[in-house]
Amino acid sequence: MLKQFLLLWVFVVPFFCSGQRVQSFNDSWEFVKGLDSVFTARLSDKKSDVQWEEVSLPHTANLEPIQKVNQQWQGTCFYRKYFFISENDREKHIAIQIDAAMQVADVYINGKRIFKHLGGYLPFYIDISNAVMYGAENCVVIELNNEDNPHVPPGKPLKDLDFNYYSGIYRNTWLIVKDRLHISNAVAANREAGGGVFIHYENVTSASATIHVKTEIKNDFKNVRDAQVRVILLGASGKSIAQSLSINQSTEANNFGTFTQSLIISKPKFWSPETPYLYQLTVELVQNGKVIDKESYKLGIKTIRVERDGFFLNDKKVVIYGTNRHQEYPYLGNALSDNAQYRDAYKIKLAGFNFVRCSHYPPSPAFLNACDELGIMVMDAIPGWQFVGDEEFKKNSYQDIRDMIHRDRNHASIVLWEASLNESGMKKDYMQRAHEIVHEELPFQNNYSAGWINDAYDVFLPARQHAKAPDYWKKYNSERPILIAEYGDWEYYAQNAGFNQTSFKDLKEEERTSRQLRGFGEKRLLQQALNYQEAHNDNLLNNGLGDVNWLMFDYNRGYATDIESSGIMDVTRLPKFSFYFYQSQNDPTLAKGTSFNKPMLFIANYWQNKSTTSVKVYSNCDEVELMVNGKSFGKQRPDKDQYSTNLKHPPFTFNVLSFQPGTLRATGYINGKKIIEQVQQTPEVPAKIKLHVDYSGKEIEAGKNDVVFIYAEVMDHQGTVAPGFSDKIRFSVDGDGVIVGADTVNAEAGIATILLKAGAKAGKIKVAASGGGLESDVLILNSKKISEK
């Protein structure tokens, strides 16, 4: 019988303790690109004639166009920062941590090269204790190269790649000053199932749970040092639940020490997508009664079990209902703020998904923290797509697996580890070794490796199109659990979809595909939504773990000039009709105060002259009534067609006899009670602009390179968006904020979008939009500055 395994997530927050500090290192950098690396050693010289640009992090080495990024910038760039290390820190451990930089990094301190890192998606930790000058100013220079490199996963040349590498130090950096006896960094320690803090559970029931906390410390002194570790668990309210203080233990010079402690808690509150309850944990390193190092965490507790016939979370069978996500933003590439990462997770949750696949590389820690907080299950993934390199490549790929697990192993949201090179011709020995590494690093039952080939891994991850229509995976009979990791795009793009073929006969080739921009019109957006509906409905016949659509957001690719537009939201995070189909598949929660899984209703029709008179309404209500210009077309139950047989909440289709300009009014009922209503009016002549900002759970923050989308909706006099409007809209900004990219943009489907970045100072930011002879609009944002504690 399989035992249950309880997991937890850990978010390390900045702290200050007895002279120790972990602080943001993002500000006051300088940047230059296009120099020859032979000059690197001299770049620390302030008197050099190099023209540096002042920047802060996260940062992209090149602002890329919103489309046609297949020719993205590649080359060598340099980042430089001067920083002071106090004489008082001479006996401390000093380090710099880079959360991610694309993709080969050489690090210089005061002109001397001291470190090299391969890989663009995972952190690296540089001990600079013996390289810096104390009581003096120091200089760090980071040389980055993002050119094609067959030894560094993903390894595939950009011109053949289905996503983009982008560039720069695009995640956070940290300056770490600690006692030379300190809690080690798990990635830097690179110890099997060790380093840092590692937590697992046993004897888990609704009555109690045993929490095992393994802490590995590092002694950088030249002699033996004694210390204790104290672990304190708090509830969400801050009330103490349990704590443990270890015995005094010796750690040899220049070595690691391991402390293992256990806490028993009564009636644990479990983490789940519905109730992502978070505990608080503090791990303290204590010497002679004094805390010399500590890390603060938030914890989510859950049990998981994967079997052939299903996925079980906290002993309940849960159908995985997921999406894939690429992390890129317009212009910035991968250089998203932490808040922008949160907003992406928020939208995934808002769409109704309970699961996200991190395709095809490890995401930002901020994104995982958001998934932990919001309640989204995650499949973490190593870098890889349609490429297997030589032995050096494989060695680096194996290290990616270890680094990914060392960084992410305690996140409650992670339920699967994709230690697989997606859609690549992996040999048996690679797959077997990758699977073994997962279990070496996670040596407890009910941790699961996953891969796209049905061999070696615990879970099989095919795309729907990897099998033939019309059966696809319905006749799958292997004993290995199966999760459909992609569906809804390629099988339609390649026109080998199954049950939907008959509806293709009157469509043009470009209308059949799921790759549809918002501006392509109502008919094509409805087709995209129908493709996803048909595929998801079909997938539900599989005896597997669930399915994961391709994909959440549109994105750019190295091998094509156009945006890959099969996202249910576009690259600026505006929803398409298919977003509302997915949102409708969640049972409605009638309780007040909830932000997600509420009763919803959406009329997928612009109700204009060329609109279909077969009006589609997506809703999770029991019944929907449609009124056309005040005339009722009756209350209807959900559709019962061939595309809806397995859906929780099929759409509602109303056949209106003819188009008449005016008003569609849809009303949703649950248990006979009117719950929700939406109105769609025929758009008239565009008359005005209405601005609004996308916060998605996080207001804009100053001093963090935070970015938000500003949308200018072009409306008629009655407030209906004009979907046919595509003229230019001009934006301007007043206050400490800047527009990233162009300030004059064409509207798409009646909405023009800019990306606004907050400056260093908190305060009001005024955004104005005008153009097309329309009534202009002004929006006032208040950027806040949240100090670290």
Side-chain angles (χ1 to χ4, degrees), residues 725-737:
F725 185 91
S726 59
D727 291 349
K728 293 183 184 298
I729 299 295
R730 297 182 300 276
F731 294 84
S732 62
V733 172
D734 185 22
D736 196 8

Side-chain angles (χ1 to χ4, degrees), residues 601-603 615-617 624-628 654 663-669 674 676-680:
L601 182 150
F602 178 76
I603 302 172
V615 178
K616 188 82 67 176
V617 178
V624 170
E625 180 181 18
L626 182 71
M627 307 276 288
V628 182
F654 294 86
T663 302
L664 300 178
R665 184 184 303 273
T667 304
Y669 297 83
K674 178 180 175 180
I676 190 171
E677 185 176 86
Q678 189 201 358
V679 171
Q680 175 63 48

Side-chain angles (χ1 to χ4, degrees), residues 616-682:
K616 188 82 67 176
V617 178
Y618 299 115
S619 180
N620 54 8
C621 294
D622 300 336
E623 295 178 298
V624 170
E625 180 181 18
L626 182 71
M627 307 276 288
V628 182
N629 296 328
K631 178 183 176 181
S632 176
F633 278 74
K635 285 184 184 179
Q636 287 188 190
R637 303 289 293 180
D639 295 347
K640 293 184 178 180
D641 57 27
Q642 61 181 325
Y643 310 132
S644 305
T645 51
N646 306 304
L647 299 179
K648 292 177 69 174
H649 299 282
F652 298 77
T653 302
F654 294 86
N655 292 311
V656 180
L657 297 178
S658 63
F659 169 75
Q660 295 179 348
T663 302
L664 300 178
R665 184 184 303 273
T667 304
Y669 297 83
I670 297 178
N671 296 326
K673 183 178 179 180
K674 178 180 175 180
I675 297 295
I676 190 171
E677 185 176 86
Q678 189 201 358
V679 171
Q680 175 63 48
Q681 295 180 304
T682 302

Side-chain angles (χ1 to χ4, degrees), residues 24-39:
S24 174
F25 207 50
N26 285 345
D27 294 334
S28 303
W29 285 83
E30 296 173 298
F31 168 78
V32 69
K33 63 184 176 185
L35 298 180
D36 194 311
S37 61
V38 298
F39 296 107

